[in-house]
């Protein structure tokens, strides 16, 4: 699977997790049973990692969302944001600009236009803050 395909499968799982109190393992098991999209170890590992950091990622989303509280952000956008933020923070193989670009692509595919602008803006603001911290400004 290409990284973009893995990311999309993780998006489906992350989105699904918003609607259930099931564990990550149970969501994965259901995905295998449903056999609607391709699953593999890479998908499982990234989904588990994103799910494990969900509280931290949601705090970041809340911090950088100037106009919307977390519970008012569409779940599609929240799922995409969790994945992108996880990649920006914890996956050295994915450059920040790629994580942002891929998040915008997923949002365009599954959400409304205003959500695309929201996701891009939030991730851009997070990126600029990290860049400023890294440069010491």
């Amino acid at each position: 699977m290409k990284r973009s395909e893995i990311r999309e499968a993780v998006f489906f799982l992350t989105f699904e997790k918003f609607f259930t109190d099931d564990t990550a393992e149970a969501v994965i098991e259901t995905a295998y049973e449903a056999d609607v999209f391709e699953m593999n170890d890479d998908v499982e590992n990234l989904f588990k990692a994103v799910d494990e950091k969900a509280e931290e990622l949601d705090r970041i989303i809340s911090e950088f969302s100037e106009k919307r509280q977390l519970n008012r952000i569409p779940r599609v956008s929240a799922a995409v944001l969790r994945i992108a933020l996880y990649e920006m923070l914890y996956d050295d193989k994915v450059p920040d600009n790629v994580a942002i670009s891929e998040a915008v692509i997923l949002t365009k595919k599954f959400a409304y236009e205003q959500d695309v602008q929201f996701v891009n803006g939030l991730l851009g603001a997070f990126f600029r803050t990290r860049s400023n911290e890294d440069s010491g400004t």
Side-chain angles (χ1 to χ4, degrees), residues 8 22 26 33-34 38 42 67 76 80-81 83 93 97 99-100 117-118 122 124 127 134-135:
E8 186 170 313
D22 289 349
E33 289 170 3
E38 188 174 346
D42 293 331
K67 296 181 180 172
V76 168
V80 169
L81 287 166
I83 296 163
K93 296 177 193 165
N97 62 328
I100 294 168
Q117 295 168 358
F118 173 75
L122 189 146
F127 173 76
D134 291 344
S135 66

Side-chain angles (χ1 to χ4, degrees), residues 82-99:
R82 279 185 181 177
I83 296 163
L85 288 167
Y86 176 85
E87 288 181 324
M88 293 171 79
L89 288 167
Y90 297 106
D91 194 334
D92 295 335
K93 296 177 193 165
V94 179
D96 288 354
N97 62 328
V98 172

Side-chain angles (χ1 to χ4, degrees), residues 42-81:
D42 293 331
V43 172
E44 285 186 43
N45 292 335
L46 181 56
F47 170 64
K48 287 177 188 175
V50 169
D51 187 61
E52 185 179 296
K53 300 287 186 184
E55 286 183 34
E56 175 189 355
L57 301 171
D58 287 351
R59 277 194 304 276
I60 294 168
I61 293 167
S62 294
E63 180 183 338
F64 284 87
S65 176
E66 297 175 4
K67 296 181 180 172
R68 301 183 201 174
Q69 293 181 349
L70 184 62
N71 64 351
R72 304 291 294 165
I73 295 171
R75 291 180 176 151
V76 168
S77 298
V80 169
L81 287 166

Side-chain angles (χ1 to χ4, degrees), residues 95-111:
D96 288 354
N97 62 328
V98 172
I100 294 168
S101 176
E102 290 290 323
V104 167
I105 290 167
L106 274 175
T107 309
K108 282 181 179 178
K109 189 170 183 177
F110 296 108

Side-chain angles (χ1 to χ4, degrees), residues 1-14 37 43 46 83 102 105-106 109-110:
M1 284 178 90
K2 292 189 273 182
R3 181 65 186 212
S4 59
E5 294 169 329
I6 293 166
R7 193 178 285 109
E8 186 170 313
V10 172
F11 162 76
F12 292 139
L13 297 172
T14 303
F37 54 89
V43 172
L46 181 56
I83 296 163
E102 290 290 323
I105 290 167
L106 274 175
K109 189 170 183 177
F110 296 108

Side-chain angles (χ1 to χ4, degrees), residues 9-26:
V10 172
F11 162 76
F12 292 139
L13 297 172
T14 303
F15 181 73
E16 174 71 25
K17 185 81 168 66
F18 277 109
F19 298 96
T20 180
D21 290 330
D22 289 349
T23 64
E25 296 289 341

